Amino acid sequence: MTGEDGKRRYQEIAELLARRITNEGYRPGDKFPTERQISLELGISRSLVREAFIVLEIEGYLDVRKGSGSYVASGEKISLNVHKADFGPFELLQARQLLESSIAGFAASTITKHDILKLRETLELERKAIENGVEDYFADKQFHLLIAEATQNSVLVDQVADLWTKRENSSMWARLHDRIFDISYRTRWLDDHAVILEALRHRNAEQARSAMWQHLENVRLTLLELSDVGDPEFDGYLYTPAVASP
């Protein structure tokens, strides 16, 4: 979602907070309000604040310290203009959730035996990568692309591929993952994939749609939890997505 000037909402929040740092007498090393405080003060979601903080970290306004919180940085600030051609990680996840849940539901009616076999092979690749500690998301990406391909609709395949490309080229997504040290979540996501595949195998459109929706909701909540730098008791259940789960 963008404002009248073309800025995305999280960019507007980042610019607002950057001005606060500049105008309210903050000095390098000063503790900045927590994401929770900003969320409550502005009446916006925690994920939106997380994206704004990531922008401020990249721009040189904040120094984010794991387990401690965010502090005003002492380094050179890039600019107050945070209008950049990047995409917020949670913005991308919401787009994927809306698109890929529908795709999975549709794929349940068009999927072939060959598609099922390729998905099984990809799950096995993903399992082996996790077991071997390989930090490679190739099989994860391939699983989602194969489901799109099972629709036999090249436009849908291109849309899913484009969202993955945006993720891979996003400095914000990379910075979010820099905060995460516990990668055990990948096993949970593998389990989610298995549930999706089972629904597709039974050609159950509603279960496939719901399973994909829940998988990407689990991804969102996991990333919010594991990338939280200052509040280990983050009450993530209070910050549900704007679109309710089916």
Side-chain angles (χ1 to χ4, degrees):
M1 180 177 179
T2 58
E4 293 181 0
D5 58 0
K7 289 186 175 67
R8 295 183 176 84
R9 181 64 173 145
Y10 72 84
Q11 293 171 328
E12 293 175 346
I13 299 303
E15 197 163 78
L16 174 68
L17 297 177
R19 289 198 175 96
R20 176 181 296 188
I21 292 171
T22 301
N23 298 333
E24 295 186 7
Y26 281 96
R27 296 182 178 182
D30 286 352
K31 184 75 178 288
F32 198 65
T34 66
E35 291 177 0
R36 178 200 295 273
Q37 290 170 323
I38 297 295
S39 174
L40 292 174
E41 175 190 337
L42 299 181
I44 58 178
S45 72
R46 184 69 174 271
S47 59
L48 185 57
V49 177
R50 179 71 49 82
E51 289 174 332
F53 270 47
I54 290 173
V55 169
L56 293 173
E57 185 182 1
I58 293 172
E59 293 283 307
Y61 284 87
L62 290 181
D63 177 17
V64 178
R65 304 174 191 173
K66 183 69 176 176
S68 178
S70 299
Y71 296 80
V72 175
S74 57
E76 180 181 356
K77 299 171 179 58
I78 297 174
S79 71
L80 269 175
N81 180 14
V82 294
H83 187 194
K84 292 183 176 295
D86 203 346
F87 298 88
F90 300 104
E91 183 182 31
L92 281 172
L93 279 172
Q94 184 180 59
R96 287 187 58 199
Q97 190 175 43
L98 290 166
L99 176 65
E100 293 192 49
S101 60
S102 296
I103 286 175
F106 179 51
S109 65
T110 58
I111 200 162
T112 66
K113 181 179 179 180
H114 180 63
D115 294 326
I116 295 293
L117 291 175
K118 287 197 295 184
L119 284 165
R120 283 178 173 171
E121 291 172 0
T122 302
L123 275 189
E124 187 57 29
L125 285 176
E126 189 176 2
R127 191 184 316 278
K128 288 181 179 178
I130 293 171
E131 289 175 352
N132 294 329
V134 178
E135 294 189 36
D136 184 335
Y137 291 88
F138 169 79
D140 183 6
K141 175 181 178 179
Q142 187 68 10
F143 181 83
H144 288 269
L145 286 173
L146 284 172
I147 292 174
E149 289 175 6
T151 67
Q152 302 173 39
N153 185 312
S154 60
V155 176
L156 294 177
V157 176
D158 287 347
Q159 288 183 324
V160 172
D162 181 61
L163 287 172
W164 274 89
T165 298
K166 284 181 169 60
R167 163 181 160 166
E168 291 164 350
N169 293 336
S170 170
S171 60
M172 289 185 64
W173 189 280
R175 187 60 62 97
L176 179 75
H177 273 264
D178 285 344
R179 297 182 176 192
I180 298 174
F181 300 96
D182 176 7
I183 61 171
S184 61
Y185 63 86
R186 293 181 64 191
T187 300
R188 300 197 295 273
W189 294 358
L190 177 64
D191 292 341
D192 285 352
H193 285 177
V195 173
I196 295 167
L197 177 54
E198 190 66 8
L200 291 170
R201 190 175 71 84
H202 285 92
R203 296 181 172 273
N204 189 315
E206 181 56 33
Q207 286 185 8
R209 183 172 67 89
S210 178
M212 180 63 80
W213 181 282
Q214 189 58 53
H215 165 52
L216 291 169
E217 177 66 0
N218 292 343
V219 171
R220 186 186 74 88
L221 291 174
T222 298
L223 290 179
L224 267 175
E225 176 187 355
L226 294 181
S227 65
D228 185 34
V229 296
D231 188 3
E233 296 181 353
F234 162 53
D235 47 351
Y237 67 93
L238 291 176
Y239 299 89
T240 54
V243 180
S245 175

